[in-house]
Amino acid sequence: MRKPGDWMQNPTDERILEVLNTGLELGPTTIGRNIDRDRTGVSRRLSVLVEYGLVARVDEGYYVITALGEQYLDAELDADELEPDNS
């Protein structure tokens, strides 16, 4: 069973991670279309997921899942133990 952090907004954050787990570099518009969410909301959540290391921005407007994100989806990581990188 996955262990979401108190900072997460589920099911949205998990659905974003699941879409990115396809191995593709995707932007907020494409992700939003695939999870039935608006681009603006997805963009905000992507920023938070990047802060916590579950997602990485690879180019302007494109994101990929990280190894931590994959571990979270595989229920190998407690997201509550992650600290934000505010640099």
Side-chain angles (χ1 to χ4, degrees):
M1 178 172 219
R2 293 179 184 156
K3 298 173 187 159
D6 290 338
W7 54 270
M8 294 181 81
Q9 282 186 4
N10 281 328
T12 302
D13 288 358
E14 287 192 359
R15 294 182 72 201
I16 290 170
L17 291 170
E18 288 165 352
V19 169
L20 288 173
N21 202 34
T22 60
L24 299 173
E25 295 178 2
L26 300 171
T29 301
T30 302
I31 295 169
R33 287 182 62 98
N34 284 284
I35 67 169
D36 197 29
R37 298 286 190 273
D38 66 276
R39 181 199 60 79
T40 307
V42 169
S43 185
R44 279 194 302 268
R45 294 313 304 161
L46 282 165
S47 294
V48 173
L49 293 169
V50 167
E51 274 182 46
Y52 281 89
L54 299 178
V55 170
R57 187 173 132 196
V58 291
D59 205 355
E60 185 67 37
Y62 289 91
Y63 299 83
V64 295
I65 193 167
T66 64
L68 282 178
E70 291 172 351
Q71 289 172 12
Y72 171 76
L73 288 179
D74 291 339
E76 298 170 356
L77 173 77
D78 183 345
D80 232 0
E81 295 176 0
L82 297 175
E83 295 290 329
D85 177 12
N86 296 318
S87 56

